[in-house]
Amino acid sequence: MNNLSEFQLILLEVYKKFAGFCEENGLTFYAAYGTMIGAVRHHGFIPWDDDIDVYMKRADYDKLIALRDKLDAPYKISCVLDGNSPYSFVKFYTTSCTIWEYKHFPFIIGPWIDVFPLDEGLEGQEDSDKAYSELHHLMWKYRKSLADVTWKQIGQDFIHLNGFNGFINLAKKCWYAPSKKKYLKQLEQCITNIKSIKSVGLRSYYNGLKRDAYPKELFENAIKLPFEDTYITVPNGYDHILTLLYKDYMQLPPEEKRISYHDSFYINLKEVKTREEILKEMEGKINEKAKPLSFKVILDEMKHRKSGF
């Protein structure tokens, strides 16, 4: 506890609220990804980590969303089908702090728990793979409809000869944004299709990892492991799961790779700020010359373009 960062201390309190809310309502969750490694290897956070990820089977996941109005302030639950969140999965968060994670998505929250649903399905199962691809393509389009793009920004792209940026931002403004409601309806139908799949396995479609699929028996039982000054549930098959995802997960990575993967546009752990207040405070940074897109982003754009707008 003494070695935790200010962010981790706040996040730990968010986790305790989440765990308590789940217990009160009979919901089961399991540590996932880096949080599962942290529980097994460190009995708490991975020292350089700054988020908490959990799995939740679909029935409990849907119940969690249905119960969100019963949460007391300052806690909230976001869901993609609300039409505001750029995330395909639930976030359980506090509104007592201010985090604007991605500059191009005007979605402001506080330290959060990522909740990934587990549905039936396995990699290589035809209906499961088809639904996986459809969900990620729809999320790609939906996220573009949320992008906070101005005509000034589009003009700057072309003035600074960032033509590919300009084309993409023009498409966001004129094509994707007006189609937001259509994408939400398509996402809702896609999720309904995913829930209808029957399989011997469980799969999380929501984080982009195709290998994130497991035999059901790995989640048949659960155990509690120490996590800082509390406990967290992990599936009985945690070794199989972590080995599949990370291979030798008990081995610490080299020091140069011990970094956080979240580099938020704006963080204020002391105050609650509105979008307008943040924009005013960050005015100088926001007006910096637009940078060209990375080659990786361009390849991703072209891949999805093949499937049409």
Side-chain angles (χ1 to χ4, degrees):
M1 287 287 290
N2 292 335
N3 295 323
L4 295 184
S5 67
E6 182 182 9
F7 190 96
Q8 288 172 328
L9 286 169
I10 295 172
L11 186 55
L12 185 59
E13 292 306 308
V14 177
Y15 166 71
K16 289 176 182 177
K17 178 65 179 181
F18 171 77
F21 186 76
C22 289
E23 185 175 0
E24 290 169 10
N25 292 283
L27 306 177
T28 300
F29 65 89
Y30 313 87
Y33 312 118
T35 304
M36 198 188 304
I37 291 180
V40 175
R41 193 173 69 196
H42 302 274
H43 304 301
F45 289 102
I46 294 176
W48 53 91
D49 203 4
D50 60 359
D51 74 344
I52 291 179
D53 297 325
V54 302
Y55 290 124
M56 187 174 277
K57 291 181 181 177
R58 173 57 71 173
D60 285 345
Y61 182 87
D62 285 347
K63 186 177 178 182
L64 176 68
I65 294 172
L67 290 169
R68 58 190 159 172
D69 290 340
K70 297 188 179 298
L71 264 177
D72 299 325
Y75 298 98
K76 285 190 175 183
I77 290 173
S78 68
C79 170
V80 63
L81 296 180
D82 292 341
N84 298 310
S85 173
Y87 307 98
S88 58
F89 46 86
V90 156
K91 281 186 179 281
F92 181 106
Y93 63 96
T94 178
T95 60
S96 61
C97 307
T98 308
I99 300 178
W100 185 344
E101 190 172 9
Y102 300 110
K103 182 175 68 173
H104 48 292
F105 296 130
F107 185 68
I108 299 170
I109 57 176
W112 65 81
I113 312 293
D114 286 334
V115 186
F116 297 95
L118 285 171
D119 291 285
E120 294 195 24
L122 283 174
E123 187 176 357
Q125 182 179 337
E126 185 177 357
D127 54 354
S128 179
D129 285 346
K130 181 179 178 181
Y132 176 99
S133 297
E134 182 181 5
L135 177 71
H136 283 275
H137 184 60
L138 285 173
M139 278 302 304
W140 181 85
K141 293 193 290 186
Y142 166 69
R143 284 165 65 92
K144 289 190 178 301
S145 77
L146 293 177
D148 192 18
V149 179
T150 65
W151 288 112
K152 181 179 179 180
Q153 181 180 346
I154 294 170
Q156 287 178 337
D157 286 334
F158 288 109
I159 289 171
H160 294 301
L161 303 180
N162 294 335
F164 202 88
N165 296 53
F167 166 72
I168 291 172
N169 284 327
L170 188 62
K172 289 175 183 176
K173 185 80 171 176
C174 299
W175 181 275
Y176 293 105
S179 301
K180 176 182 169 181
K181 290 184 178 179
K182 179 183 74 173
Y183 300 146
L184 281 171
K185 287 184 179 179
Q186 291 173 339
L187 275 168
E188 186 173 14
Q189 183 58 54
C190 182
I191 293 170
T192 298
N193 293 341
I194 286 171
K195 291 194 285 188
S196 71
I197 293 171
K198 299 302 178 186
S199 176
V200 296
L202 293 174
R203 183 173 191 173
S204 181
Y205 296 77
Y206 296 82
N207 72 344
L209 292 174
K210 284 191 174 182
R211 64 184 184 277
D212 200 8
Y214 317 99
K216 285 182 181 178
E217 56 265 26
L218 299 181
F219 289 87
E220 283 181 355
N221 298 296
I223 59 174
K224 286 187 177 293
L225 293 180
F227 193 87
E228 302 302 340
D229 63 349
T230 184
Y231 292 88
I232 196 165
T233 303
V234 299
N236 59 292
Y238 70 84
D239 180 68
H240 182 116
I241 295 167
L242 290 178
T243 300
L244 176 65
L245 290 174
Y246 306 107
K247 297 183 179 178
D248 187 7
Y249 63 90
M250 292 301 288
Q251 179 68 41
L252 288 173
E255 286 195 22
E256 65 271 15
K257 292 188 177 181
R258 299 176 192 179
I259 56 175
S260 166
Y261 289 97
H262 295 90
D263 185 17
S264 297
F265 170 60
Y266 181 89
I267 297 179
N268 189 325
L269 300 180
K270 305 293 185 184
E271 301 174 286
V272 178
K273 295 272 190 175
T274 65
R275 177 176 179 274
E276 289 69 28
E277 290 171 333
I278 297 171
L279 289 174
K280 186 175 181 180
E281 184 177 334
M282 302 289 287
E283 187 173 3
K285 294 183 180 180
I286 292 174
N287 290 333
E288 289 177 354
K289 177 181 173 181
K291 297 179 181 179
L293 293 175
S294 69
F295 184 64
K296 181 180 179 181
V297 171
I298 292 174
L299 285 178
D300 184 62
E301 289 285 338
M302 299 309 296
K303 180 184 74 173
H304 284 283
R305 288 275 182 266
K306 290 179 181 179
S307 301
F309 282 89

